[in-house]
Amino acid sequence: EAGAKLLTKLGLIEQAIDYATEAGHFDHAFSLVHASKKSKLPEVQLKYAMYLEDEGRFKEAEESFVEAGKPKEAIDMYVHQQDWVSAMRVAENADPSSVSDVLVAQAKAAVERKDWVRAEALYVRAKKPELAVKAFKEAGRWSEAIKLTKEFLPHKLQEINAEYVRFQNGEYVPEQGDVSKRSMGEDLVAQARALEE
């Protein structure tokens, strides 16, 4: 504590805290912060949380992110790990406005796995049915896209029906460009072959 007071008197406390955090000496950085520069606590806490995340100590990192006032960082960490239970727990407890974001991220992961039922349920739970419709259109799953539009976005039904007609005529290109006309054609050929069998 005496050292912290001397550093403060010399105007070097902030540099000392920054040096300690950059060197990974978080115990020392926290003791300097608590002794003389409490306003730097969130910054040191955040750097410590990032260090813990890099070390794979996710639960400790979560606690530090939340203490630093950055629960969204903890949520993003868990979303990146696809640890949906932990991401949802942090969102519900520390940042309720992020619950929808966690559900959307989980739905996108379900789309990547082609788990359409789960994706639809998650998008609807997130109150984002338009994202489910978009995912279904991009995958060429028009019947599901139209069904969802009827149920949740009836004001867009005319628009999606027009897009479907353009798709059938080979004129529709998905917004993202994830599905090329060639792959849509391959999908149609595969569906036709399946019907032949």
Side-chain angles (χ1 to χ4, degrees):
E1 194 166 307
K5 286 182 181 177
L6 178 61
L7 288 169
T8 301
K9 186 176 177 180
L10 296 173
L12 299 173
I13 191 68
E14 287 196 35
Q15 292 90 333
I17 292 168
D18 291 343
Y19 177 78
T21 56
E22 296 305 318
H25 302 297
F26 291 100
D27 288 339
H28 185 61
F30 281 118
S31 67
L32 289 172
V33 165
H34 288 298
S36 62
K37 192 77 173 170
K38 291 187 180 9
S39 64
K40 293 247 330 165
L41 183 60
E43 179 185 330
V44 173
Q45 196 74 52
L46 180 61
K47 288 180 180 179
Y48 183 54
M50 291 187 292
Y51 165 80
L52 292 169
E53 180 182 4
D54 290 343
E55 293 291 308
R57 296 161 56 188
F58 300 120
K59 182 65 177 151
E60 293 171 81
E62 169 197 327
E63 292 166 3
S64 289
F65 279 129
V66 171
E67 287 175 23
K70 301 284 187 181
K72 182 80 172 114
E73 298 293 330
I75 294 165
D76 290 345
M77 171 185 72
Y78 284 131
V79 165
H80 180 73
Q81 299 294 321
Q82 294 194 2
D83 181 348
W84 307 118
V85 172
S86 297
M88 188 59 73
R89 177 178 38 76
V90 175
E92 288 172 342
N93 294 329
D95 189 13
S97 66
S98 292
V99 168
S100 177
D101 297 337
V102 173
L103 292 169
V104 167
Q106 195 173 357
K108 287 178 181 177
V111 166
E112 289 173 13
R113 293 188 316 272
K114 299 189 184 323
D115 185 350
W116 302 108
V117 173
R118 181 107 175 105
E120 176 183 336
L122 289 163
Y123 278 130
V124 169
R125 188 170 157 212
K127 296 180 175 45
K128 301 281 186 176
E130 68 280 2
L131 295 177
V133 169
K134 182 179 179 203
F136 285 136
K137 288 187 319 187
E138 289 174 358
R141 301 177 69 87
W142 286 93
S143 61
E144 289 100 326
I146 292 168
K147 177 187 79 86
L148 269 171
T149 303
K150 280 181 187 174
E151 188 173 347
F152 296 102
L153 304 163
H155 61 284
K156 296 230 177 206
L157 192 55
Q158 187 175 358
E159 180 183 324
I160 195 164
N161 282 332
E163 288 175 0
Y164 182 57
V165 168
R166 287 198 320 269
F167 169 77
Q168 288 178 317
N169 293 335
E171 301 165 1
Y172 177 80
V173 178
E175 294 171 28
Q176 291 271 156
D178 289 342
V179 179
S180 67
K181 285 188 179 185
R182 182 172 170 258
S183 68
M184 283 189 257
E186 290 170 354
D187 288 345
L188 290 173
V189 170
Q191 289 172 4
R193 286 191 180 132
L195 291 171
E196 286 178 347
E197 296 173 358

